[in-house]
C-alpha cells in the first residue's frame, strides 16, 4: 500500500453552467475539504446538448485561483495541441502566482476531435498527437526554468493516459503525478508497465503519485468503502470525483472526503 496520504479532488466539468455556478462548485469543494479542484480542457460539452453552455479551462482556473484559498488547482488535463507549449508554461506559471503556489500542470495529447476541428487545430492520428506531447514536454520544462518570475510553488506535472509504449514512458521520464482511468485489474497491469519504464530510466516509481478518476469507473463510484480500498492497495492516493453543470452535485465528493478522513486518521 502507498505511504502517501489519501487526497480527494473534484473535476469541475464546465458544461451547461453559468460561471457563477462553477465558482460556487469550487467554493463548495473547498469548504468540504477537497484537496484539489480540476477543470477539464474542452471547448464544448461532452454530455447533453453538444452546443450547450461551456467555458474555457485556463481562464476559469485563473479566476478560481482568485476566488479560492486552500485547494490545489489545475487542468485535467490540458491538451498540448491547443496551445503553444511555451505559452502553456507561462499560463501555468501565472496561475501559480495568482493562487499563491497552488497550481499543478496536468498535460495530455487530447482525444476529442470536435475540440480540434472546430477551433482549427489539426487532429491527426493518435500517434501524431502523442508525438506532439513528447515534443512539448521538454519545451514546457525549459520555458518554466527561464520564466521571470519563476513559478511560485513546486508546480508539479501530471500526465494523463495509459498507453503502454509511449505515454507511460513519458510518465516515467517527466511526471510527478500519473492520472489513470482504469478499473483495478487494468490499473494493476498498467502500474507494472510503468514500473518497468521507471527502471529503464533510473527513476524510483514511488516518486510518482498515482491519481484516478472514480466517477464512471464502477457502478459503486459513490461508495468509496467499496471502490476505495482496492485502488488504495494498488497505490492510488489521489481520487478524483467529477461533477458537471448546471447544478454540480457535490454529494459524491462529500462521501469520498469522509472516507479520506477515516483512512488518513
Amino acid at each position: 500500500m502507498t505511504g502517501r496520504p489519501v487526497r480527494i479532488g473534484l473535476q469541475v466539468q464546465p458544461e451547461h453552467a453559468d460561471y457563477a455556478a462553477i465558482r460556487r462548485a469550487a467554493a463548495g469543494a473547498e469548504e468540504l475539504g477537497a484537496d484539489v479542484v480540476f477543470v477539464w480542457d474542452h471547448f464544448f460539452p461532452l454530455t447533453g446538448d453538444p452546443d450547450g453552455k461551456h467555458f474555457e479551462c485556463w481562464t476559469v482556473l485563473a479566476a478560481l485561483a482568485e476566488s479560492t484559498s486552500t485547494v490545489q488547482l489545475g487542468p485535467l488535463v490540458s491538451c498540448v495541441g491547443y496551445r503553444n507549449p511555451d505559452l502553456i508554461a507561462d499560463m501555468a506559471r501565472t496561475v501559480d502566482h495568482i493562487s499563491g503556489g497552488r497550481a499543478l500542470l496536468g498535460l495530455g495529447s487530447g482525444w476529442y476531435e470536435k475540440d480540434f476541428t472546430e477551433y482549427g487545430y489539426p487532429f491527426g492520428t493518435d500517434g501524431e498527437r502523442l508525438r506532439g506531447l513528447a515534443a512539448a514536454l521538454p519545451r514546457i520544462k525549459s520555458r518554466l526554468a527561464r520564466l521571470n518570475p519563476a513559478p511560485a510553488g513546486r508546480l508539479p506535472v501530471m500526465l494523463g493516459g495509459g498507453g503502454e509504449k509511449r505515454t507511460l514512458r513519458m510518465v516515467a521520464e517527466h511526471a510527478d503525478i500519473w492520472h489513470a482511468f482504469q478499473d483495478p485489474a487494468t490499473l494493476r497491469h498498467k502500474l507494472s508497465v510503468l514500473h518497468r519504464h521507471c527502471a529503464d530510466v533510473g527513476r524510483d516509481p514511488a516518486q510518482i503519485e498515482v491519481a484516478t478518476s472514480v466517477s464512471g469507473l464502477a457502478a459503486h463510484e459513490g461508495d468509496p468503502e467499496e471502490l476505495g480500498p482496492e485502488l488504495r492497495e494498488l497505490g492510488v492516493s489521489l481520487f478524483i470525483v467529477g461533477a458537471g453543470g448546471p447544478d454540480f452535485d457535490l454529494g459524491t465528493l462529500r462521501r469520498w472526503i469522509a472516507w479520506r478522513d477515516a483512512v488518513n486518521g
Side-chain angles (χ1 to χ4, degrees):
M1 180 181 292
T2 178
R4 296 176 184 268
V6 170
R7 301 201 297 153
I8 304 297
L10 174 71
Q11 184 195 42
V12 175
Q13 301 160 354
E15 55 180 3
H16 309 302
D18 295 324
Y19 174 70
I22 295 170
R23 185 180 62 239
R24 286 194 300 270
E30 184 170 72
E31 184 176 356
L32 287 172
D35 299 286
V36 192
V37 170
F38 295 98
V39 178
W40 76 19
D41 190 16
H42 294 289
F43 302 132
F44 300 93
L46 299 186
T47 66
D49 180 1
D51 295 315
K53 293 179 181 178
H54 202 280
F55 287 100
E56 191 275 331
C57 172
W58 279 101
T59 39
V60 168
L61 284 170
L64 295 181
E66 283 281 8
S67 66
T68 60
S69 58
T70 61
V71 291
Q72 200 170 19
L73 295 164
L76 182 59
V77 286
S78 188
C79 175
V80 298
Y82 303 158
R83 304 167 189 86
N84 174 285
D86 295 79
L87 176 60
I88 292 175
D90 203 342
M91 293 165 69
R93 182 278 309 257
T94 300
V95 170
D96 198 39
H97 275 266
I98 296 170
S99 68
R102 292 182 285 124
L104 67 80
L105 178 52
L107 298 167
S109 59
W111 61 272
Y112 189 43
E113 186 170 2
K114 183 177 180 178
D115 285 337
F116 287 83
T117 57
E118 286 278 348
Y119 277 49
Y121 301 116
F123 184 60
T125 64
D126 290 349
E128 288 170 337
R129 294 194 302 279
L130 283 171
R131 286 192 289 274
L133 176 60
L137 287 168
R139 284 184 58 181
I140 289 169
K141 287 191 169 183
S142 175
R143 179 58 59 186
L144 285 171
R146 289 183 285 158
L147 288 170
N148 183 15
R154 180 166 166 262
L155 194 56
V157 170
M158 179 175 74
L159 292 181
E164 296 180 13
K165 183 178 179 181
R166 296 176 180 173
T167 302
L168 292 181
R169 176 72 177 210
M170 286 185 270
V171 171
E173 292 177 338
H174 298 287
D176 301 292
I177 308 168
W178 171 49
H179 176 259
F181 188 63
Q182 284 100 17
D183 61 86
T186 304
L187 180 61
R188 185 184 303 276
H189 168 69
K190 298 289 185 182
L191 283 167
S192 70
V193 175
L194 176 59
H195 290 183
R196 290 198 296 271
H197 283 302
C198 286
D200 289 341
V201 302
R203 189 171 184 202
D204 181 356
Q207 295 176 343
I208 303 171
E209 182 174 17
V210 180
T212 191
S213 292
V214 296
S215 297
L217 191 60
H220 302 286
E221 66 187 41
D223 183 5
E225 296 290 344
E226 180 164 337
L227 185 59
E230 188 173 5
L231 292 170
R232 176 71 170 158
E233 190 66 33
L234 291 173
V236 176
S237 59
L238 176 54
F239 299 79
I240 303 167
V241 176
D247 299 321
F248 298 105
D249 183 357
L250 302 184
T252 299
L253 177 69
R254 183 179 289 106
R255 289 189 289 274
W256 278 91
I257 288 172
W259 176 77
R260 175 203 65 190
D261 294 344
V263 169
N264 288 345

